[in-house]
Amino acid sequence: MGVRGLQGFVGSFCPHICTVVNLREMAECHRKQHSSSPPTIVVDAMCCLRYWYTPESWVCGGQWREYMGALRTFVQAFEEAGIRLVFFFDGMVERDKRGEWVKRRHKNSRDVARIFHHLKSHGEQPGRHMFFIPTGLAVFTRLALKALGQETHCSLQEADYEVAERGLWEGCLGILGEDTDYLIYNTCPYLSIRELCLDTLDTVQLSREKLCESLQLAVADLPLLACLLGNDIVPESLFESFRYRCLSTHSAASKDLRRRGGTVLAVADHIAQVLRVHQGEKALEELLPLGPHTALFYKGVASYLLPGQISPWLSHAPKTVVAPDKQTTSMLTDLQPQRGAPLVSDPEALQVARAHHVQGECYLVYNIMCSGEIECSNTLEDELDQALPSQAFVYRPVRQRVYALLLGAGEGGSWDLATDGRGAKEVKEWFVYAGNPLKDPDLVRPLPVSIPGGVPSLKTLWLTQEPGVRALRYEVLLACFNLSSMQEDLRAVEGPFRALCCLLVYLFLQVDTLCLEDLHALIAQALCLQGKSMAHLVDLQLERIDPRAVQLASLLLRGLTTLVFVNSACGFPLNVNDFMPWNIFDGKLFHQKYLQSERGYAVEALLEQNRAWLACFQSLKAAVVKACLKESRRIGSRQPWGMPHTGPRARQQTSSGCSPQGQPWREQGPGSRQYAHEQRRKYSRPLGRPSDPQ
């Protein structure tokens, strides 16, 4: 993230630009000078996730109640100081930054592989140096902050730009984050989340003015410096030879060519001593080896300009240049990142989706309607043991039906989405799974949604308040999971657990390798969680960590984020709090129940002898088993046939890659089960990209 090498340079060469400040004192000073506006800090939430996630356990799926407590403590500390917080989350990936996004995903995949190697070798969680944020952390953090009454937004472009813009617009105390791009933007002060002491509200402020003094540059030169060093738009490799030439001719830096800080000094000196001499006489492309990357470079410089700001380095930019893809680009009208034209014809529905997106109330809906493109980052999935299929495939049929709902099926079921030239409507999916090089997106076609009477319009689902529409929204949600037939059975399930029940039915229909012990563990942990204090969950100790349980926990959490997606697309028929992880999932508790269940603990033992939970357990289990039997899916046991579940005993030694019937998942396709009205198909080649993009 940010400018390559700048963080290290500041620490080694310019520590004086870092000043310890007290946010409580800054707020008091602001109140004296601006009595009409509260002191405000804009928070780059994506930079803060690692700071906020303080629970010791992370590999089992996340300690969500403990995490919710940490967020509450964070918010309360600022409320007590009278400081208003405004949180921003990334709402999309800009096209210019897709390459950097892919690069990070590949790095994360290597990190995930190391985590699973450690789990298999040691049976315990790796140290914090291998920390990987729990699945869905960004989505659930946004919803948690909204539940805590905080102002929360999703960006319409890269979040750092909107953070910097909001900070400048409101005259905020500062931007709280951990991204050197905030030293480049000409906005309010940059405050470090990494250095924040919550008890005292002391942190470090990094001064861009002092940085400029050290580099003998003006603030307006910083975007040029950032692009020559490399950032998320301009690849670091683009100016590698140029930087080396600067370094070799710069006397102060050439004493140690290997020091990254020397490169920053050398490039800054070149800007000050060479480029500025010719400023106004020659265009920048005559002074730098831009070649075919001119458009990309100018876009990178312009990406740091907030509304109303200009750059002396863009005043002589050509009106048109040849872009890297050989297409002519208008530089003065297309310097800022652009999104594709909307894919739907109903502007009112699109406007509603946009409003929900900006307010952080929905997930993926606006991205699909606006550009037909979505992405999903890494999940804790074991690429070497695909006994459980990737979440990218498990939840794809659900996404495909939502695509139809959002893009194609209006009143009467008519299609109005532009086609790919072959008559097919496709959404671009950038999902991480084993064997996917992410060179191109998967092109995924919508699947029809089956609703008696036809699929309602988005305006009906989102805007109509007539009686019966809430029931219709719920019906559409079940149809997106292809579970319309179990609507009556769900009535027997206690309200807060209906969403979980839907998800479990879908999972067990899709994944043939899930067994009765898995079902018992998933239900038991959700019920037992209701009676656990945070202190009890913190103190819970596990005898070992099972890699399959780690992956199953991640699969469930991706299911919960999928529920967020479907629920928002259908007009929010479900109470979102019912399926937030801090209410129905705890990583360590699930892992404990998983280990107990595979050793043969009786249901009463799994439920800790609590008879009050037994009836709810039986109704949940019955609903799942009955729904699966309707689709000829029998949930088998890993336990030896005929042996009672009377208590703990050794697990039957079977391959983790086998179903209860002994057939490996790979030989059954991707562990997915399509339903009666759909053609049965396999996604094929679990270790590679699917040959069929559906």
Side-chain angles (χ1 to χ4, degrees):
M1 292 178 66
V3 183
R4 305 301 182 267
L6 188 55
Q7 188 72 48
F9 171 78
V10 168
S12 301
F13 284 77
C14 297
H16 62 279
I17 81 167
C18 302
T19 305
V20 176
V21 295
N22 183 269
L23 301 181
R24 192 174 276 106
E25 294 174 0
M26 290 175 65
E28 187 59 35
C29 182
H30 176 93
R31 277 188 286 268
K32 291 178 180 178
Q33 297 176 0
H34 309 280
S35 57
S36 60
S37 62
T40 302
I41 290 178
V42 186
V43 183
D44 185 337
M46 302 302 289
C47 292
C48 299
L49 294 178
R50 289 174 178 267
Y51 174 90
W52 288 330
Y53 192 87
T54 56
E56 180 181 347
S57 176
W58 49 269
V59 81
C60 295
Q63 302 308 111
W64 294 97
R65 283 202 177 166
E66 195 177 345
Y67 180 64
M68 187 66 163
L71 287 178
R72 186 178 289 108
T73 299
F74 181 87
V75 167
Q76 287 175 348
F78 284 89
E79 287 180 342
E80 290 169 2
I83 299 174
R84 170 176 167 244
L85 298 175
V86 180
F87 297 88
F88 276 83
F89 290 78
D90 279 333
M92 53 83 68
V93 176
E94 293 176 7
R95 291 173 185 157
D96 292 329
K97 298 189 177 184
R98 178 63 69 188
E100 184 63 27
W101 184 88
V102 168
K103 182 179 176 181
R104 292 175 188 167
R105 301 293 76 76
H106 286 316
K107 179 186 179 300
N108 287 348
S109 293
R110 294 191 293 271
D111 293 340
V112 169
R114 284 192 287 269
I115 290 170
F116 275 99
H117 177 75
H118 183 95
L119 294 178
K120 294 172 185 177
S121 301
H122 303 283
E124 63 182 16
Q125 176 177 282
R128 188 76 180 190
H129 67 285
M130 295 179 69
F131 173 72
F132 195 85
I133 64 173
T135 296
L137 189 67
V139 177
F140 296 129
T141 300
R142 174 163 48 83
L143 295 171
L145 289 170
K146 292 193 75 67
L148 292 171
Q150 299 303 294
E151 182 178 345
T152 308
H153 300 281
C154 267
S155 66
L156 294 170
Q157 57 193 86
E158 199 74 14
D160 57 4
Y161 184 90
E162 295 192 18
V163 168
E165 180 184 17
R166 184 64 176 263
L168 180 66
W169 170 46
E170 289 204 352
C172 295
L173 295 182
I175 292 168
L176 189 60
E178 203 66 37
D179 189 336
T180 47
D181 276 333
Y182 296 126
L183 273 174
I184 307 300
Y185 286 107
N186 189 4
T187 182
C188 63
Y190 167 31
L191 306 167
S192 171
I193 182 66
R194 185 173 60 183
E195 302 295 335
L196 175 65
C197 175
L198 202 57
D199 291 336
T200 63
L201 288 187
D202 285 338
T203 189
V204 167
Q205 177 178 321
L206 291 83
S207 169
R208 66 182 62 87
E209 290 75 19
K210 291 182 180 179
L211 174 64
C212 287
E213 290 176 9
S214 299
L215 298 177
Q216 298 182 4
L217 297 177
V219 172
D221 297 329
L222 292 178
L224 176 62
L225 174 70
C227 291
L228 290 174
L229 292 174
N231 56 19
D232 287 353
I233 292 180
V234 182
E236 185 179 14
S237 59
L238 203 62
F239 292 99
E240 187 173 2
S241 59
F242 166 78
R243 290 192 298 271
Y244 186 81
R245 288 199 301 272
C246 292
L247 190 60
S248 61
T249 58
H250 186 259
S251 57
S254 61
K255 295 176 182 178
D256 187 355
L257 299 180
R258 293 171 297 177
R259 298 182 70 180
R260 179 63 179 175
T263 304
V264 178
L265 287 172
V267 173
D269 185 67
H270 187 86
I271 294 173
Q273 304 300 327
V274 179
L275 299 184
R276 197 178 289 153
V277 170
H278 300 282
Q279 192 173 9
E281 299 176 4
K282 296 182 179 181
L284 198 55
E285 63 267 22
E286 298 179 56
L287 301 171
L288 292 172
L290 299 182
H293 306 290
T294 304
L296 182 65
F297 182 79
Y298 277 121
K299 182 170 284 191
V301 174
S303 69
Y304 289 107
L305 300 182
L306 301 177
Q309 296 179 352
I310 60 174
S311 169
W313 300 104
L314 293 179
S315 58
H316 289 273
K319 292 184 179 180
T320 59
V321 296
V322 179
D325 60 0
K326 307 301 183 185
Q327 295 179 346
T328 301
T329 304
S330 172
M331 290 306 307
L332 298 183
T333 60
D334 193 36
L335 285 174
Q336 294 294 346
Q338 301 293 321
R339 301 204 67 183
L343 298 181
V344 291
S345 59
D346 190 336
E348 188 174 3
L350 185 66
Q351 197 65 24
V352 172
R354 186 184 188 277
H356 282 305
H357 176 94
V358 170
Q359 296 303 317
E361 297 168 351
C362 69
Y363 173 55
L364 298 180
V365 170
Y366 181 68
N367 304 58
I368 293 164
M369 296 178 69
C370 185
S371 65
E373 187 170 22
I374 61 170
E375 55 277 324
C376 182
S377 187
N378 303 73
T379 305
L380 280 179
E381 296 176 344
D382 186 2
E383 293 190 357
L384 299 181
D385 182 5
Q386 295 181 57
L388 293 174
S390 171
Q391 62 87 18
F393 298 126
V394 171
Y395 299 110
R396 177 174 284 179
V398 181
R399 299 193 302 271
Q400 288 176 283
R401 295 186 192 95
V402 178
Y403 299 159
L405 183 69
L406 296 178
L407 299 177
E411 295 287 359
S414 61
W415 288 91
D416 56 19
L417 175 63
T419 70
D420 64 350
R422 305 188 306 272
K425 296 82 178 171
E426 297 175 331
V427 172
K428 297 176 181 178
E429 288 191 348
W430 296 88
F431 275 62
V432 179
Y433 55 84
N436 185 3
L438 294 172
K439 292 182 179 178
D440 300 291
D442 290 335
L443 303 179
V444 180
R445 299 178 185 179
L447 283 176
V449 182
S450 179
I451 300 287
V455 179
S457 69
L458 295 179
K459 281 198 283 192
T460 298
L461 290 174
W462 296 352
L463 299 176
T464 304
Q465 302 301 324
E466 296 175 0
V469 173
R470 183 175 180 84
L472 178 61
R473 293 176 185 135
Y474 182 53
E475 185 179 359
V476 175
L477 180 140
L478 290 179
C480 288
F481 283 94
N482 206 19
L483 299 177
S484 299
S485 62
M486 69 171 297
Q487 187 166 359
E488 288 299 320
D489 296 329
L490 283 171
R491 296 183 190 278
V493 176
E494 191 175 333
F497 295 107
R498 284 178 187 165
L500 176 64
C501 187
C502 277
L503 181 56
L504 291 178
V505 171
Y506 179 82
L507 265 179
F508 277 78
L509 283 172
Q510 283 290 110
V511 184
D512 291 335
T513 54
L514 292 176
C515 64
L516 203 59
E517 287 76 19
D518 298 326
L519 180 60
H520 287 177
L522 288 165
I523 296 176
Q525 69 85 29
L527 294 175
C528 292
L529 179 61
Q530 310 310 310
K532 303 295 184 187
S533 66
M534 188 190 303
H536 178 94
L537 296 171
V538 171
D539 292 338
L540 187 63
Q541 299 298 313
L542 300 172
E543 60 187 77
R544 65 182 175 90
I545 303 295
D546 187 298
R548 184 180 182 275
V550 168
Q551 187 162 336
L552 180 53
S554 293
L555 187 59
L556 180 77
L557 287 166
R558 283 296 183 204
L560 295 179
T561 64
T562 301
L563 264 173
V564 174
F565 169 47
V566 180
N567 195 49
S568 53
C570 295
F572 306 97
L574 298 177
N575 183 341
V576 71
N577 288 324
D578 288 349
F579 52 91
M580 287 298 95
W582 47 88
N583 289 327
I584 60 170
F585 181 82
D586 178 89
K588 282 197 295 185
L589 185 60
F590 166 68
H591 218 93
Q592 181 192 60
K593 300 303 176 184
Y594 179 93
L595 296 176
Q596 292 174 348
S597 184
E598 73 166 3
R599 288 204 303 270
Y601 272 54
V603 169
E604 292 79 7
L606 291 177
L607 297 177
E608 302 168 7
Q609 310 303 327
N610 188 315
R611 293 185 176 275
W613 295 334
L614 186 58
C616 189
F617 179 96
Q618 297 295 0
S619 66
L620 275 168
K621 178 182 174 180
V624 176
V625 170
K626 181 179 180 181
C628 288
L629 285 175
K630 285 182 180 178
E631 299 295 333
S632 302
R633 160 73 158 109
R634 181 183 181 280
I635 305 175
S637 170
R638 276 201 299 264
Q639 302 296 336
W641 296 110
M643 294 190 66
H645 293 259
T646 57
R649 53 178 166 71
R651 171 188 174 184
Q652 180 190 22
Q653 296 302 311
T654 60
S655 166
S656 64
C658 293
S659 70
Q661 291 73 31
Q663 295 298 318
W665 167 75
R666 306 187 174 79
E667 296 177 5
Q668 300 175 0
S672 64
R673 179 182 295 269
Q674 298 300 317
Y675 306 114
H677 72 279
E678 297 173 14
Q679 179 184 1
R680 253 181 203 273
R681 67 183 185 279
K682 298 180 180 180
Y683 294 118
S684 79
R685 297 187 313 190
L687 294 175
R689 292 169 66 81
S691 56
D692 180 355
Q694 293 191 42

